[in-house]
Every structure is written in C-alpha cells, then in structure tokens.
C-alpha cells in the first residue's frame, strides 16, 4: 500500500516537473525572440557556416583600397606571402592567398587584367 502511494507521488511529481520545464522552455524562447537573441544566433551560425571571404575582408588583409590598381595588389600579395613563408605562418599565408583570389575574381569580372 505504501509503495503504491509512493509510486503515485513520484509519477505525479515528475508530471508536474515536466510541465513546468516545458513552460519555462517556451517562455525562454519567447523572451529570446523578443530580444533578438534568436535572430542574432541564426545570423552568427550562417556567418560561421559561410566560408567565402568578403571583398572588404580581402582588402583589409592585403591592405589595399577599392582604388588600388591590380599591379599594386599583386606586389602587396607577393610581399605578404613571402614574409609569411619565411616566418612559417601557414595560416596567414593561406589568408593572404585567399584574399588575392577573392580580389582576382572581382577584378576579372570588372574586365581589368587580373592575371599574375
């Protein structure tokens, strides 16, 4: 008899806790959507998933502006690539190379000579 009452209390208690948890979770989602946290999280996830370098990032890496001619970009690329080859930073060397590739496609689409 005592075991049956104890089992009944455990089942009812866990049901109450489960409902409270679901209600708290729904409230947390509502609060997150109101404050923009959910949207920001989605945008950050999309940004992280995207491996494509932007034009602005490529220009920052190479230290050039939109008005910089292609020949100057190639000179900067060569200097940075060689400097990182000497210091052994493969990561930076890769970033420099990807930046040049990104700007190269941009200059080719504009019809400028972007071959090196």
């Amino acid at each position: 008899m005592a075991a049956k009452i104890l089992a009944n209390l455990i089942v009812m208690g866990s049901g109450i806790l489960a409902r409270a948890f679901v209600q708290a979770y729904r409230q947390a989602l509502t609060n997150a959507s109101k404050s923009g946290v959910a949207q920001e999280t989605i945008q950050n996830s999309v940004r992280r998933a995207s491996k494509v370098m932007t034009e602005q990032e490529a220009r920052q890496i190479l230290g050039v502006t939109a008005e910089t001619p292609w020949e100057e970009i190639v000179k900067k690329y060569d200097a940075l690539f060689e400097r990182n080859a000497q210091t052994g930073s493969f990561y930076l060397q890769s970033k420099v190379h990807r930046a040049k590739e990104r700007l190269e496609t941009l200059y080719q689409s504009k019809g400028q000579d972007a071959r090196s």
Side-chain angles (χ1 to χ4, degrees):
M1 176 84 167
K4 187 175 179 181
I5 293 173
L6 186 59
N8 229 355
L9 285 174
I10 291 173
V11 169
M12 286 185 353
S14 59
I16 291 170
L17 284 175
R19 276 182 271 158
F21 177 77
V22 169
Q23 185 180 7
Y25 184 73
R26 285 183 181 158
Q27 186 63 44
L29 288 177
T30 303
N31 292 344
S33 66
K34 285 180 183 175
S35 68
V37 173
Q39 187 65 25
E40 184 179 331
T41 302
I42 291 170
Q43 288 174 349
N44 287 341
S45 298
V46 169
R47 222 177 283 135
R48 260 185 258 121
S50 174
K51 300 288 184 180
V52 178
M53 182 180 289
T54 65
E55 177 187 351
Q56 179 184 4
E57 184 182 7
R59 290 191 186 284
Q60 285 177 341
I61 289 170
L62 293 175
V64 296
T65 63
E67 294 81 31
T68 306
W70 178 249
E71 294 76 25
E72 184 68 29
I73 292 173
V74 172
K75 287 179 187 176
K76 290 229 181 196
Y77 162 77
D78 288 337
L80 288 170
F81 192 84
E82 287 302 317
R83 189 176 311 138
N84 287 307
Q86 293 169 356
T87 60
S89 178
F90 180 74
Y91 173 76
L92 291 177
Q93 198 175 18
S94 174
K95 283 294 225 183
V96 168
H97 184 71
R98 296 289 171 244
K100 179 193 166 241
E101 283 181 337
R102 174 66 175 106
L103 293 179
E104 189 172 27
T105 59
L106 184 70
Y107 276 76
Q108 284 176 349
S109 67
K110 287 183 178 179
Q112 298 181 9
D113 185 26
R115 284 178 242 123
S116 58

